[in-house]
């Protein structure tokens, strides 16, 4: 009898938790375009920034050199590139010039220390969040001038490119970390 009561109690607990979770999902079911796009940028940010911070400063100049790696970006250059492109995407969404020197996608040459590079990266994410906050159902697919050459692109395309571009470089950074015996924060 005790086993049956215990089993019934556990079943009731599981059902209660599942119902509460379902109710929470129903409350949050309708999200705006702005919220959805901002979450995609936040997901990248929460993976990318800790990975950037994980490499010791004395290894920020690391780049694989053997085999097919000749001429690839260093760890620091990967981070600065992503930050610079974040600014470029954000500025295009806002239809303004980037508020910082993007160094033609390489970031400012004057930024060399780990602390300054991380600061540049974090500020680029803040700027992208500001840009994403201006996207709504009315202007989502309206075109803006492409930040890369001729033509036009949509705000939606630019906003989704933030994550796809960032995660491409995040994957490279994971390899760099592992080549230096560092387990990426997301894998710990």
């Amino acid at each position: 009898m005790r086993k049956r009561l215990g089993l019934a109690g556990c079943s009731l607990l599981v059902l209660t938790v599942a119902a509460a979770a379902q109710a929470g999902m129903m409350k949050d079911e309708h999200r705006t375009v702005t919220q959805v796009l901002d979450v995609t940028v936040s997901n990248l940010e929460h993976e990318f920034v800790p990975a950037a911070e994980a490499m010791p400063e004395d290894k920020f100049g690391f780049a694989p050199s053997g085999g097919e790696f000749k001429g690839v970006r260093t760890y620091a250059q990967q981070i600065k590139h992503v930050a610079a492109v974040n600014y470029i995407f954000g500025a295009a969404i806002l239809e303004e010039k980037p508020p910082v020197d993007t160094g033609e996608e390489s970031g400012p040459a004057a930024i060399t220390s780990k602390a300054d590079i991380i600061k540049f990266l974090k500020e680029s994410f803040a700027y992208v969040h500001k840009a994403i906050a201006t996207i709504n159902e009315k202007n989502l697919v309206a075109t803006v001038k492409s930040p890369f050459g001729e033509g036009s692109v949509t705000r939606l395309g630019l906003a989704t490119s933030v994550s796809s571009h960032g995660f491409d470089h995040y994957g490279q950074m994971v390899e760099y970390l592992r080549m230096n015996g560092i387990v990426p924060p997301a894998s710990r």
Side-chain angles (χ1 to χ4, degrees):
M1 185 65 164
R2 275 184 141 183
K3 280 186 177 182
R4 285 187 183 168
L5 283 175
L7 184 56
C10 284
S11 297
L12 183 60
L13 179 63
V14 167
L15 289 174
T16 302
V17 169
Q22 189 72 6
M25 286 174 64
M26 284 193 260
K27 286 180 191 171
D28 294 336
E29 194 170 290
H30 178 73
R31 292 196 167 93
T32 66
V33 168
T34 307
Q35 290 169 321
V36 171
L37 293 173
D38 197 59
V39 165
T40 65
V41 172
S42 291
N43 288 341
L44 169 64
E45 183 178 11
H46 291 123
E47 298 286 330
F48 200 94
V49 172
E53 293 172 331
M55 186 71 87
E57 184 160 19
D58 66 328
K59 302 269 186 181
F60 255 51
F62 173 80
S65 56
E68 300 296 319
F69 291 103
K70 185 178 180 187
V72 298
R73 290 182 175 104
T74 66
Y75 199 78
Q77 289 169 336
Q78 295 278 356
I79 298 165
K80 286 173 53 172
H81 169 70
V82 168
V85 173
N86 283 351
Y87 276 112
I88 292 167
F89 285 147
I93 291 168
L94 294 168
E95 296 184 274
E96 63 185 32
K97 289 188 174 204
V100 299
D101 172 20
T102 59
E104 297 186 23
E105 297 181 37
S106 297
I111 296 177
T112 58
S113 74
K114 178 179 177 176
D116 289 342
I117 292 168
I118 298 298
K119 181 177 184 260
F120 182 63
L121 176 65
K122 289 178 178 180
E123 289 172 351
S124 80
F125 277 113
Y127 184 71
V128 167
H129 285 293
K130 173 186 163 189
I132 296 289
T134 68
I135 298 174
N136 57 49
E137 286 79 1
K138 291 179 183 173
N139 69 10
L140 180 67
V141 292
T143 57
V144 295
K145 185 179 181 310
S146 172
F148 305 108
E150 299 296 317
S152 58
V153 294
T154 64
R155 286 179 177 87
L156 175 61
L158 290 167
T160 58
S161 293
V162 172
S163 290
S164 62
H165 175 257
F167 274 121
D168 177 45
H169 290 280
Y170 170 78
Q172 295 170 51
M173 290 168 53
V174 165
E175 288 298 316
Y176 286 24
L177 287 168
R178 291 196 181 275
M179 290 174 136
N180 283 281
I182 300 166
V183 176
S187 298
R188 294 180 189 157

